[in-house]
Amino acid sequence: MAEQSEDPIESVMGKISEKIHHESSSSDSESDSEKKSYPSESVKDKIWRLFGREKPVHRVLGGGKPADVFLWRNKKVSAGVLGFATAIWVLFELVEYNLLTLVCHILILSLALSFLWSNAHSFINKSPPRIPQVHLPEEPVLQVASALCVEINGAFVVLRSIAAGKDLKKFLIVIAGLWVMSIVGSWCHFLTLFYICFVLLHTVPVLYEKFEDKIDPLAEKAMIEIKRQYAVFDAKVLSKIPVAALKAKKV
């Protein structure tokens, strides 16, 4: 009888000890998993992205429909936009069609067809054409104008600070950029340059988004090398330019 009374107590104690052991082992496994997850998160945080990017490429491009077009989210729309731009470039550059002539010819053709259809519908038993009312909304135009105004004013502020001799690095970057643009402009017309930039917008972002894990390490090495070369140039050339003395004379 004594052994039978002790068995339930021992079974209850055994279950309690097993439960405690299970909880301790699960907590240990959770702590181990947390320790393993921390290095991976730190590694993800330390991944270098091109131009210090912290957002996805879609959000960097502004999001919405323009980013969808540039990243080929809808292939038919992106191909249509690129094909339309190519047709415009072929008309104006290869065929050497003038913009004013093209606009006038399109208006002449559309107005003539609409006029003839409106007067001939009673003879051919067809319904008259429905000419839509074109109305340009005011709000998007104001938003675009406001955004352009902000960007232009920001560019003026940067140019003013550079012209005032406050930042030698920006001065050299702007001079080099303008010099490169002048050389590229002497090679081709403005429309061709615009078309090249448009094609690059339709190819470079989508390729970068697809191969960013391979491009970012190479770009990081390139940026390190550029900074090293700039440090050497700064030590040998820029540091010897008496900018501080000129500023002191101005003050």
Side-chain angles (χ1 to χ4, degrees), residues 43-118:
V43 169
K44 288 182 181 179
D45 293 337
K46 291 180 181 179
I47 292 176
W48 189 90
R49 294 299 182 187
L50 193 61
F51 305 119
R53 178 176 60 85
E54 296 180 356
K55 300 177 181 178
V57 180
H58 189 271
R59 292 187 61 187
V60 171
L61 293 175
K65 293 182 179 179
D68 293 339
V69 172
F70 291 140
L71 294 176
W72 293 76
R73 294 289 190 264
N74 190 336
K75 294 183 179 180
K76 292 183 179 180
V77 175
S78 299
V81 172
L82 188 58
F84 178 76
T86 304
I88 294 295
W89 178 75
V90 169
L91 279 175
F92 291 129
E93 284 295 323
L94 298 183
V95 185
E96 295 183 353
Y97 218 74
N98 293 323
L99 177 62
L100 183 60
T101 305
L102 177 63
V103 172
C104 290
H105 286 176
I106 292 174
L107 288 176
I108 289 171
L109 182 62
S110 59
L111 289 175
L113 290 175
S114 299
F115 182 82
L116 292 174
W117 187 265
S118 299

Side-chain angles (χ1 to χ4, degrees), residues 13 30 51 68 85 88 92 94 106 150 161 171 199 208:
M13 292 298 292
E30 288 177 358
F51 305 119
D68 293 339
I88 294 295
F92 291 129
L94 298 183
I106 292 174
V150 171
S161 64
F171 171 75
V199 172
Y208 173 72

Side-chain angles (χ1 to χ4, degrees), residues 17-43:
S17 62
E18 288 177 359
K19 187 175 182 181
I20 293 172
H21 179 69
H22 177 70
E23 290 179 355
S24 62
S25 62
S26 63
S27 62
D28 291 338
S29 62
E30 288 177 358
S31 62
D32 293 337
S33 63
E34 289 177 357
K35 289 179 181 179
K36 290 179 182 178
S37 63
Y38 288 146
S40 62
E41 291 177 357
S42 62
V43 169

Side-chain angles (χ1 to χ4, degrees), residues 132-173:
Q133 292 183 356
V134 179
H135 176 71
L136 191 63
E138 184 178 358
E139 185 176 356
V141 176
L142 293 177
Q143 290 178 354
V144 172
S146 177
L148 287 175
C149 183
V150 171
E151 295 296 331
I152 292 171
N153 288 331
F156 283 151
V157 170
V158 173
L159 292 175
R160 184 177 182 277
S161 64
I162 292 171
K166 295 181 180 179
D167 195 338
L168 182 60
K169 183 179 178 181
K170 285 184 179 179
F171 171 75
L172 295 175
I173 292 173

Side-chain angles (χ1 to χ4, degrees), residues 169 220-236 238:
K169 183 179 178 181
E220 183 180 9
K221 293 179 182 178
M223 290 299 296
I224 292 172
E225 183 64 24
I226 291 171
K227 289 180 180 179
R228 189 177 68 82
Q229 295 296 332
Y230 177 77
V232 174
F233 180 72
D234 188 12
K236 292 183 177 181
L238 299 181

